[in-house]
Each structure stands twice: as structure tokens, then as C-alpha cells.
Amino acid sequence: MASDSDSDGDFVTFGTPLEPLEEDEPLRKPVPLHEQTVKDEKGRYQRFHGAFTGGFSAGYFNTVGTKEGWTPATFVSSRQQKAGRQNARPEDFMDEEDLGDHGIAPRQITTTADFASGRKDVIRDKARAITSLSAPIPGDTVLEDLVAPARSSMGVELLRKMGWKDGQGVGPRVKRRLCKQRADSGTRAFVSASPPNGLSGSQDEEDGEFVPENVTFAPKDVTPIDFTPKVDLHGLGYRGLNPLAALRGGPGAGHINLFTMDSDRSNSLFGEDRKGQRRRGGVAGQGFGVGAMEDDDEDIYHRDIMSNYDTVLGGEEPGDGLYGWTAPQQYNRKKKDAAYLGKILEGFTLASDKLETKTIFPPPNLPRDFRPVHYFRPVVDLSSVSPMVAQALQTSRGHMAQEEPSKGGRHQLDSAQRRELLGEATLQGITESLLNPSRFTPHAEQQQQEALSVWSGPTAQAQTGQTFKPFERTPHKQARYDLYIDQLKQGDRDALELSLDPTMTEWERGRERDEFVRAALLYKPSSSSLSCRFTRGKQDDGVEADTVEVTRDQENDVDDKQAAVKMKMFGKLTRDTFEWHPDNLLCKRFNVPDPYPGSGFVGMPKVKRDKFSVFNFLTVSESPTASASPAPQGNKQSVPLYPDTSHFISRKRSRWDVSGQAGNKERKEKDPVSEFLSVARIEASGSGPEASTTDGPTTDPTVEVLVPSYYIHH
Amino acid sequence: MSLGHLQHQATHAEDHAEQKCEMSFPQPKPEVPQLPQNLLRTIDCQQGAVRAVRFNADGNYLLSCGSDKSLKLWSVSRGTLLKTYSGHGYEVLDADGSYDNSQLCSCSSDKTVILWDVATGQVTRKLRGHAGKVNCVQFNEEATVILSGSIDGTVRCWDTRSRKFDPIQILDEAQDGVSSLKVSEHELLTGSVDGRVRRYDLRMGQLHVDFINSPITCVCFSADGQCTLTSSLDSTVRLLDKSTGEMLGEYTGHKMKGYKLDCCLSSKDTHVLSCSEDGHVYCWDLVEGSLMLKLPVGKAVVQSLSFHPSETRLLTAMEGRVQVWGAEPEETEEDVVVVQQEKA
């Protein structure tokens, strides 16, 4: 560190300046690491340790700074050295570098805060005032003020040079408005001019002083909020009973407000002392009784007045002008609309948000010939009128689409619908709708009818064993369901009511009724032509299994492949590749490594699907196209063999069509009828080979490869 | 070797030959591949209709599967019966011999697969498990596994080493009966009535499915292991590239519409042979696809055939007889019909 005394004297240089760069000078070689030396103030070489990358040097020839180095001081018993200094100060662990000018604890003579008296710090002054009051000699600040040495920080000095005066705020000067907080805060206004007459503010009006236009004011000083940490265990804002104040204050001091704000207290402190205030010793106050020394015991049990407390949360604008610490909208909000000035009733305030105006629609214009009499449509029972009328009624009501979902054909109509179509009269007797009038929506009733018609059909009669047991988990329910199905099969119209448990509640029965009808419709017997192709699975899946295992990878579309085969485009189109896991033992027997070591399963990866998922049965739909599809491929073998139909496939002449062979001649003399037959048969066989085989291998396949049924008799 | 490769070679050879011909040193013409067109002998098996006839591993013996529940072992060269294996409950449909000729396996309509001891003729193991008649059976290379394909749509892998009677694995991917089955080093080729050829690659752990759209009657590997041959009920034999599934050749002209008939490749992969319902064995050139030979076997359906593993020799089965065909006629042609004097 060196200071240039010859030059301005104001500059301080610190460190070694870099040598000035000259442009033409070639780059100098960097100083190698071992030549980079460091000396201390006394010119001794210093060596860096690993601490060079951020630590202290150990000093004293690479020792800790002592001759002994790292060797520990011998233990000294504290028994004999009790009087010795016990507690170590931080300075004990500092070396001279730390204590130097730029160390962490510089040793130099400075004015400590205790003796400083520079600017008039409001908070500090207040604090000092309080302490002075509580001090044994009250008002000793006067003395302090007299003898305090001047001290001001560098920032204050700089500010002063820039024209700042004590007590002003920092910032550009304001045109006219001056904050009024100075008078409130109890400190004297420093500005020579009196506060300007602002547009608002009662005090300005009270003063009524003239403020010239060209006068600017310094911004008001912002009192920093003192964020003193709360160290006691009192409630917020509670100050506790200061014993000093309590001792000092007599009954004349009145109620020691434990909750008063700082400003109030300072007000009372800085304001003129009350006239009759006597300083007396002794214990007094709310918390203490009246001692023997007291001559008057009035107001021992001070009744607290509620006006001592704040009743509104953040209600009034605090007079301390802490604008920097509050949201500005709160104050802007207070602006009153000029239109309402003086018109607001007492006790009312302006609404913050506007009321929504309601749009009122006028009543419709009535046509001239309107007669205010309602005509009720006659309720016509649809089943009692002819179908034409019923249909007309329904369309007029607009219920047509809802009530009749889809008439798939005459076989899907139930008896009532057929009766409607035929125009027959209704059967005599109590109908179900009369039996339970409000229970059924027409839709549910129709479903019930449908279930009845489905289950009472001949296919259901032929099917002896019921395959689906939807309520197998609850045997009682399943039994009731079976009963219901049995009665449905017998064509009993009241099947549902008879099968339900009468002991159950109405609600439960209603639910079960719905479930049964739905289940009966869902698991309705498949048509006999389809069902005979399938056999029951050998092992029952059990009660728990609601899912079936389906191979994860499904084959591509078969139609595409058939088209590809017809075009003889074998290859990618006709090939599917799946992941397949051989058994570990099989791999061992074949002397190949297991391709999926540790895989838990063999065969194709399977996924669990919902047992009655739509996707599992997509291919066995009962649609007429599937049921009308021709017999699967294998049946072709049972078709009587036609001669000379072996060559229709290769119509196209290719190099595989070898000329000069017997088949060629046959082809020429083939009649067109047989060719047509064969083509038709090929198309038929190609269209639906998968229909029967999608459900996995059946134990009784209809397809089998025949061998010549030839037998030699000796 | 794929067909493209073969073609390439062939054209190359022709070019070569032409060049040589232009020069003054004519190269000897490449030897015309010989066809088994001479009937060497006919064996009357006397076991009912012969369902299948198979060479053994080295081609010195043949197995005939009879519909009278018996399996018979014959000498090819002399046409003598060596052993009769009886133990099946219904007609025998297929058989295979192990590589070391010590064991035989056969399958039958009685839903069983039987492992036989060749020398004693005893049943070593009778494997039950199929739900229907078993169409085809094969040993693997080391005869440690028997693979059997059945009409129930499954292929079962039986362990010949263990004493357990359960199959190691059941391949139930076929959607219809499995009609034919071949095993190579690490692959398994199955043909099914659902019109698909499935190749299980044990080494890769993959299953390749080729769609043929017609019930498969027979599948074969080519000797080089690059192609597969499939015959199907649309009277077509197709040569497919094994790796991609592309069709390399299509062989038609024969008649195969209702019966499960065999097809095969010649030992050098030069020709494709197939049985036919018109009583002939059709023999096509593999590369050209042209019909090279139409071997008249008889009036009935040629049920089965088998090509010698190394020589030009062919076995055909028709009705109750097995015929042995060779490239050139043997000198002893008088013993055309060897009737076995075995009278039970």
C-alpha cells in the first residue's frame, strides 16, 4: 500500500500497478511458477501452501507461526491457573495480518459509535432519549450532546458535498408537495419554507401560508423501520412492565400503556412534561398494590379503556409516513370520485366495484287471436291403437328415435311389436305396466320384453347348459338369475318379478332387476349355427378369472395378406414376426443359448384382457356376413374333387409356366363353366378362412387333413 | 444359398461355357443332374396302406408307416424287412430315425408318439398328450427332443432324456392342425392347415409366420438351409426365401387338392419333387421351375415320398407298396417285386 503524496493526494493506490503496455513490445514470456515469489512486509520470502487457493498462510517458516509448529501446547491444569484468563478472545487467534489495515480486524484508532455524534438520527435519538429517561440521571443526553465528538461516515460526507442537508430525504427535489409528517413526528421541520398548500391535506389549509411557485422542496426523509429481532417470549407488541418506569412513575403517571406505539411514547417523551408530574420513588402501577408509602390510592385498579386499543386492523393511515413500506394502492384508493363529493351519506362509503345492470326483457308480443286456455293432449296407449296411428303419434311427439332403437328385422321384434304390426288386440289381463306403474321407464320395459323374446326363442331352448354365469361371485344372486333365465325360457312374462327376492328392499330389487335384464341381454344365447362350432373350454377359468390371456402381438390383417397372396407378392406382406420365448430346457437340448435368459414365460408374450372384451369377440360377430361366410378352408377337402381344376391359379404366363407339359393341353380344352366354378370356389374359400379359427385351437376342429381311405385286402 | 444366387451362378456358368466353346478347347459339358427315373425295386409292405415312407439318417434303410398300426424297417438296397415295430393303437402316420440309428420315433392316429429302440423293437417311451391324431414327428439333430405336430393345432416338444412324460414346451400358435414339421439345427418349421408356415427360431427367439392362404400339406428346409419349400392344397409347391419370406419359385402342374401329400427337395437342392393325386411324382428344376420329370408311379395317389440324403434315390409310397427309384437301373432287375415271406 502506498499513497501518492505528490499528486492530488486524494487518490489511494493499493497493490502493485501493472506496467504500462507498449504496443510494439513483443509478448513477454510469463514468469514461471517457481520464480513467482512473494515477500512479506519485512522482505522475507513467503511460501504458499495449499492454502494459496483460499486460506491463510501458516507463517513462520511454514509452521503455524510458532517455533514449535503444530506441536500442541502442553496441558495446563486449570486448577492452578484458575485466576488466569479463561476465555479466549477472537484476537487471540488472529495473526498480525488479520490485525493489519486490510485484515479482518484492523487495529486503528477510529471513532466508535459510542462517541459519535453526527447526523441526527431520529430512531437513535429516541432510543437514547428513552435510555436517558430510564437512566439514574435523567437528561444526561444533554451532557452527551455537549461533549460528543464529531464523526460522520464517508457516505454522509459525500452526501453533504453533494448538497444534502441533515434531515432531508435523498433524491431529486420535489416541486410543491411536501409531506406533512414532519410536524407529526415531533421533530422540527428543517425546511425553512413552510409546507406548501397542497391540493389536499387539512394541515396545509390550516396553515394557509403562501408558497411560491418556483420553490422546490427536498423529498421527505424516510424513517427506516427498525427491524429489531424479537428475543423475548411476550406476545406481539407487548412490552412488559418496565420496572424502572414502574418505580419511577407514580399514580400521576397514569396508566402505563403496555401497548402504546413508539411514536406515542416518544411524543410524550419529547413533548413538554406534564405539569403535575411528580417524580417519586416507590413501586406503583397497575401490577402493584398501593404501598404504605403512597399517600393516595386512587386508581389502583385501573380500568382500561378500549380506546387505548386499536379496534381496526390497519385502519388509519399511520402518521409516521412509512410510504415506502406499504402498498401504494391503499392510499390511491382513498381518492374520492369528484362526482360524489359531499353526496355520500354519513356511514356509507362508495362501492368499490360497480353494480351490474340487469337487462330486462320485455314480455313477448301475443298474437292477436291468442286464447289463454291450455289444451291437454290425450294420452293414447300405443299398444291399443293401430301401428300407423302409433307411429304418427310418436313422430308428432318427437319420441320416435328414442323409443325404437333399431328394428333389425322381424326376428328382433318382440311379441308386442309384432302384435302392433299385425294390428292385433291386446291380450286381456293385467299388464306389467299396471303392476308396477312408476317403476319402469319405457326403455327398461322394452329391454325386458327383448330379453324375454330372446330367451324364449328356440335357440335358447336348445342350449341346455348355461355358459355364462355373470353373478358367480354371489351364489344367491346367481341362483336368482338362473331362476330368472329359466322362467324366461319358459316364456313367463313375470319372470323378473318372480325371481327377485321379496325380502330385499325396493331399491335393491330395482337395481337387481336392471342388472338381470342387462345381463340377460348381454349373454343372450348365440345362434345355434354359431355355437355348435365352438366347444367349451376344458378347464374352467374359475370364479376369479374375469380375464383371458390373449397373445400380445396380433397378426396383421388377413385380407391384406390374401390380396398379397393372390398377387403372388410373398415377402413382407405375408410375413409376421413375433417374439417367441423357447423353453430354457428346449434351448439346452438344441444346444443354443437361451435368447431370453431369465424370461419368466415361454411361448408368445401374453397379455390379460377382459374376458368379455369386445375386442376378443370382434371376429365372431353374429353379423350376417360372418355367419353367411363359407365354410372354412378345411372343408374344401371334403368337397368332392373336381377333375382338371388344378391349373386355374396360374393364368398368368410366367417363366414358371412351363410349356410342353401335359397340363397345358388340358388348360386349353377346359370348359369355361368349370373354370368359373373353380374361381368362385377359390374366392369363397379365400374370403373367410379365419372365422372359425380365431378362438384358438378347438378340441374338435372341423378341419382335418384326410388321408386316402384306402385299405388293402389280402 | 438363395435362388438369386443360384441364378447368378447359372448364368455365369453359361457365359463361361460359351467363352470356352469359342476357344478351341471345349470344356466337358457340366454333368446333367440325374433324376431318379428308374424303378429299382418295389416292396410290398403288407401293412395296409403305407401312410409315410422315410429314409433313415444315412439312407441305407427305410421306414414305412402302415395303416395296420405297424412300423417297419427295411433295407433299401435289398428290400428286406428288418424289423416290425408294433405298439401303436391306430395307423401310424409318420416316423423318423435318429442320427445314430439307435432310436426311432413314430406318431399315430391314436394320439401318441412312440420312441422305439431300433435293435430290440421295444417301446422306449410312449408319449401321450396330444388331443388328436398326430400328423408328423421329427427328431432334432441330436435326438434329444422329439417334436410332434398334431391335428389339435399344437406342436409338442418331448424330451427323450428325461423320464418325465410331459412335453418341454407346447407350441400352440397354430390355429388349426399341424400337418407337417421339420427340424433343423436351431429352427423348427411347421406347416398348418390354417394356411401358415411357422418357423420358430430358437436362437433368435422369434417366430416367423408366412401366410400361404391354403392348407399346408408339407414343409421342407432346403439342404443349404436358406429356403423353405411348402406344398399346399392349392396344388402349388412354393419355394420361399427363409429369411424374408419372398417367393423364389412356384411349381405347379401336379394335383394336390384333398390329401396330405409330401414334397421334398433333391439331395443337392437341384430339383423339387412332389407327390400328386394323379399317380405321378412331379419333378421340377428348382431354378427354372420347369417340369423335368413326371414319374408314373401308379394309378392311385402317391401318398408319400422321401429323397435319399446324399444319393439320387427316391422312395415313393402308393397304396400298400413302397417303390425305390434310382438314377440308373441296377443290374439285378429281375427282383422287381420282393414279396416278403413273413407270415404271421
Side-chain angles (χ1 to χ4, degrees), chain A residues 25 229 344 642:
Chain A
E25 205 176 8
I344 302 171
Y642 292 100

Side-chain angles (χ1 to χ4, degrees), chain B residues 40 53 63 67 96 100 162 164 171 188 197 202 208 213 218 227 231-233 235 250 252 273 301 324-326 329:
Chain B
L40 299 185
V53 61
L63 292 161
S67 61
D96 192 25
D100 56 355
S162 83
K164 281 198 289 186
L171 317 176
L188 183 59
V197 177
L202 272 87
H208 306 279
N213 197 22
C218 185
C227 309
S231 66
S232 50
L233 282 186
S235 298
E250 193 180 29
T252 53
L273 296 98
V301 174
V324 185
W325 305 80

Side-chain angles (χ1 to χ4, degrees), chain B residues 97-162:
Chain B
S98 68
Y99 71 103
D100 56 355
N101 292 326
S102 68
Q103 287 178 315
L104 299 176
C105 62
S106 64
C107 61
S108 161
S109 292
D110 64 355
K111 310 176 189 177
T112 60
V113 173
I114 292 184
L115 178 67
W116 306 90
D117 185 71
V118 171
T120 64
Q122 297 296 309
V123 175
T124 309
R125 202 151 297 167
K126 198 166 188 174
L127 305 164
R128 296 181 179 86
H130 277 297
K133 59 182 184 180
V134 188
N135 280 327
C136 44
V137 73
Q138 281 271 305
F139 276 117
N140 73 333
E141 269 202 335
E142 298 183 341
T144 52
V145 178
I146 297 173
L147 297 124
S148 62
S150 161
I151 200 170
D152 66 358
T154 63
V155 172
R156 281 168 201 253
C157 310
W158 310 92
D159 195 356
T160 62
R161 297 271 177 87
S162 83

Side-chain angles (χ1 to χ4, degrees), chain A residues 180-202:
Chain A
K180 53 178 183 176
Q181 95 280 3
R182 288 205 180 94
D184 304 336
S185 65
T187 54
R188 273 145 302 280
F190 294 97
V191 189
S192 57
S194 57
N197 55 342
L199 289 176
S200 62
S202 58

Side-chain angles (χ1 to χ4, degrees), chain B residues 35-293:
Chain B
L35 293 171
Q37 48 198 342
N38 296 303
L39 179 67
L40 299 185
R41 68 183 50 83
T42 302
I43 304 170
D44 190 356
C45 295
Q46 305 205 351
Q47 54 179 138
V50 176
R51 295 303 187 204
V53 61
R54 299 282 179 253
F55 272 111
N56 75 327
D58 55 10
N60 292 328
Y61 305 97
L62 70 91
L63 292 161
S64 65
C65 308
S67 61
D68 71 340
K69 314 170 191 176
S70 70
L71 173 71
K72 289 187 176 181
L73 177 69
W74 308 81
S75 159
V76 174
S77 56
R78 280 174 290 171
T80 52
L81 176 69
L82 302 175
K83 198 102 190 164
T84 301
Y85 303 90
S86 48
H88 273 299
Y90 204 35
E91 56 183 4
V92 184
L93 293 180
D94 197 7
D96 192 25
S98 68
Y99 71 103
D100 56 355
N101 292 326
S102 68
Q103 287 178 315
L104 299 176
C105 62
S106 64
C107 61
S108 161
S109 292
D110 64 355
K111 310 176 189 177
T112 60
V113 173
I114 292 184
L115 178 67
W116 306 90
D117 185 71
V118 171
T120 64
Q122 297 296 309
V123 175
T124 309
R125 202 151 297 167
K126 198 166 188 174
L127 305 164
R128 296 181 179 86
H130 277 297
K133 59 182 184 180
V134 188
N135 280 327
C136 44
V137 73
Q138 281 271 305
F139 276 117
N140 73 333
E141 269 202 335
E142 298 183 341
T144 52
V145 178
I146 297 173
L147 297 124
S148 62
S150 161
I151 200 170
D152 66 358
T154 63
V155 172
R156 281 168 201 253
C157 310
W158 310 92
D159 195 356
T160 62
R161 297 271 177 87
S162 83
R163 303 188 67 89
K164 281 198 289 186
F165 287 91
D166 294 328
I168 304 172
Q169 190 173 357
I170 300 173
L171 317 176
D172 55 356
E173 281 77 27
Q175 292 164 0
D176 210 330
V178 177
S179 58
S180 178
L181 166 76
K182 289 291 186 310
V183 183
S184 79
E185 207 176 332
H186 61 276
E187 285 172 322
L188 183 59
L189 190 69
T190 68
S192 169
V193 185
D194 63 6
R196 288 172 179 82
V197 177
R198 291 180 174 79
R199 181 164 60 87
Y200 299 87
D201 194 331
L202 272 87
R203 186 171 285 168
M204 302 299 294
Q206 281 178 328
L207 164 63
H208 306 279
V209 182
D210 285 322
F211 185 72
I212 305 293
N213 197 22
S214 177
I216 311 295
T217 57
C218 185
V219 290
C220 298
F221 280 115
S222 63
D224 60 3
Q226 299 296 315
C227 309
T228 61
L229 190 74
T230 65
S231 66
S232 50
L233 282 186
D234 53 356
S235 298
T236 311
V237 179
R238 293 182 177 90
L239 185 73
L240 302 180
D241 188 83
K242 194 182 80 174
S243 56
T244 65
E246 290 165 11
M247 185 163 74
L248 304 175
E250 193 180 29
Y251 312 94
T252 53
H254 65 299
K255 179 180 166 191
M256 191 189 294
K257 302 206 67 67
Y259 296 128
K260 172 192 170 303
L261 305 184
D262 287 346
C263 66
C264 67
L265 284 157
S266 67
S267 57
K268 301 273 195 311
D269 276 349
T270 53
H271 291 86
V272 171
L273 296 98
S274 174
C275 300
S276 174
E277 291 171 11
D278 59 2
H280 291 79
V281 166
Y282 285 72
C283 180
W284 299 271
D285 186 87
L286 182 134
V287 178
E288 308 236 327
S290 57
L291 184 69
M292 302 297 286
L293 178 69

Side-chain angles (χ1 to χ4, degrees), chain A residues 155-357:
Chain A
V156 172
E157 293 284 326
L158 280 174
L159 276 174
R160 281 215 184 100
K161 282 192 177 178
M162 289 165 71
W164 175 79
K165 300 218 170 52
D166 279 351
Q168 287 181 352
V170 178
R173 296 178 72 84
V174 197
K175 205 53 188 286
R176 352 182 105 189
R177 297 197 45 164
L178 192 68
C179 358
K180 53 178 183 176
Q181 95 280 3
R182 288 205 180 94
D184 304 336
S185 65
T187 54
R188 273 145 302 280
F190 294 97
V191 189
S192 57
S194 57
N197 55 342
L199 289 176
S200 62
S202 58
Q203 198 186 352
D204 299 339
E205 289 157 13
E206 285 170 18
D207 292 348
E209 285 185 33
F210 169 73
V211 176
E213 282 289 321
N214 53 357
V215 173
T216 56
F217 300 99
K220 63 180 177 180
D221 198 8
V222 174
T223 314
I225 286 185
D226 187 20
F227 293 107
T228 42
K230 181 167 159 48
V231 292
D232 52 1
L233 298 175
H234 299 146
L236 268 183
Y238 181 77
R239 284 177 189 281
L241 199 60
N242 191 357
L244 293 174
L247 282 173
R248 192 193 66 230
H255 169 234
I256 299 176
N257 194 356
L258 297 176
F259 296 97
T260 44
M261 309 275 294
D262 253 341
S263 55
D264 300 343
R265 221 174 261 201
S266 57
N267 256 343
S268 67
L269 285 170
F270 281 99
E272 282 76 30
D273 276 357
R274 286 180 225 178
K275 282 180 187 160
Q277 189 174 0
R278 300 161 292 174
R279 293 209 55 217
R280 298 195 306 168
V283 177
Q286 192 184 0
F288 306 90
V290 183
M293 309 283 288
E294 310 298 322
D295 38 314
D296 48 354
D297 56 355
E298 87 273 24
D299 200 12
I300 311 171
Y301 307 106
H302 176 81
R303 253 172 275 126
D304 217 347
I305 324 161
M306 282 314 285
S307 62
N308 283 332
Y309 298 91
D310 283 341
T311 49
V312 182
L313 260 184
E316 273 183 86
E317 182 185 344
D320 54 354
L322 299 179
Y323 287 99
W325 301 97
T326 41
Q329 299 101 298
Q330 194 186 340
Y331 303 99
N332 295 340
R333 187 78 57 84
K334 293 230 163 174
K335 267 189 184 173
K336 289 159 190 161
D337 200 338
Y340 292 98
L341 265 176
K343 294 178 186 172
I344 302 171
L345 290 174
E346 198 177 348
F348 287 85
T349 54
L350 270 182
S352 56
D353 32 345
K354 279 188 173 180
L355 276 178
E356 285 180 23
T357 54

Side-chain angles (χ1 to χ4, degrees), chain A residues 533-535 537 548 616-617 619-620 690-699, chain B residues 175:
Chain A
R533 288 203 194 153
F534 297 94
T535 53
V548 280
N616 294 343
F617 299 107
T619 46
V620 288
E690 303 309 314
S692 73
T693 52
T694 40
D695 211 27
T698 56
T699 53
Chain B
Q175 292 164 0

Side-chain angles (χ1 to χ4, degrees), chain A residues 235-510:
Chain A
L236 268 183
Y238 181 77
R239 284 177 189 281
L241 199 60
N242 191 357
L244 293 174
L247 282 173
R248 192 193 66 230
H255 169 234
I256 299 176
N257 194 356
L258 297 176
F259 296 97
T260 44
M261 309 275 294
D262 253 341
S263 55
D264 300 343
R265 221 174 261 201
S266 57
N267 256 343
S268 67
L269 285 170
F270 281 99
E272 282 76 30
D273 276 357
R274 286 180 225 178
K275 282 180 187 160
Q277 189 174 0
R278 300 161 292 174
R279 293 209 55 217
R280 298 195 306 168
V283 177
Q286 192 184 0
F288 306 90
V290 183
M293 309 283 288
E294 310 298 322
D295 38 314
D296 48 354
D297 56 355
E298 87 273 24
D299 200 12
I300 311 171
Y301 307 106
H302 176 81
R303 253 172 275 126
D304 217 347
I305 324 161
M306 282 314 285
S307 62
N308 283 332
Y309 298 91
D310 283 341
T311 49
V312 182
L313 260 184
E316 273 183 86
E317 182 185 344
D320 54 354
L322 299 179
Y323 287 99
W325 301 97
T326 41
Q329 299 101 298
Q330 194 186 340
Y331 303 99
N332 295 340
R333 187 78 57 84
K334 293 230 163 174
K335 267 189 184 173
K336 289 159 190 161
D337 200 338
Y340 292 98
L341 265 176
K343 294 178 186 172
I344 302 171
L345 290 174
E346 198 177 348
F348 287 85
T349 54
L350 270 182
S352 56
D353 32 345
K354 279 188 173 180
L355 276 178
E356 285 180 23
T357 54
K358 284 178 185 169
T359 43
I360 300 168
F361 298 99
N365 291 324
L366 294 178
R368 187 177 293 181
D369 53 347
F370 177 74
R371 282 171 54 227
V373 177
H374 185 71
Y375 167 68
F376 290 96
R377 252 172 229 273
V379 180
V380 182
D381 192 2
L382 283 185
S383 53
S384 63
V385 295
S386 73
M388 300 286 283
V389 177
Q391 196 175 351
L393 273 175
Q394 274 180 333
T395 41
S396 70
R397 264 191 244 162
H399 288 181
M400 188 67 178
Q402 274 184 7
E403 291 194 359
E404 295 192 29
S406 61
K407 292 194 172 179
R410 62 192 173 96
H411 294 292
Q412 290 182 5
L413 297 175
D414 58 21
S415 60
Q417 285 168 318
R418 274 197 296 275
R419 187 184 60 217
E420 277 180 40
L421 285 177
L422 293 172
E424 288 173 352
T426 325
L427 285 176
Q428 295 301 313
I430 307 164
T431 54
E432 274 179 3
S433 58
L434 281 174
L435 263 178
N436 29 24
S438 63
R439 245 173 240 154
F440 289 117
T441 59
H443 185 64
E445 202 172 342
Q446 192 187 357
Q447 274 190 335
Q448 224 176 328
Q449 292 281 341
E450 200 176 330
L452 180 67
S453 63
V454 161
W455 279 93
S456 55
T459 55
Q461 303 285 358
Q463 204 175 27
T464 51
Q466 190 193 339
T467 50
F468 293 110
K469 292 190 183 300
F471 307 109
E472 206 159 17
R473 286 181 200 193
T474 47
H476 292 292
K477 199 170 181 182
Q478 178 65 36
R480 288 197 294 273
Y481 178 70
D482 289 346
L483 182 67
Y484 169 55
I485 293 297
D486 283 345
Q487 286 180 337
L488 271 186
K489 281 182 183 173
Q490 291 161 14
D492 196 341
R493 289 191 129 256
D494 299 331
L496 195 53
E497 292 303 318
L498 290 175
S499 58
L500 290 179
D501 189 1
T503 58
M504 286 196 304
T505 63
E506 181 66 22
W507 183 77
E508 281 173 325
R509 260 186 287 165

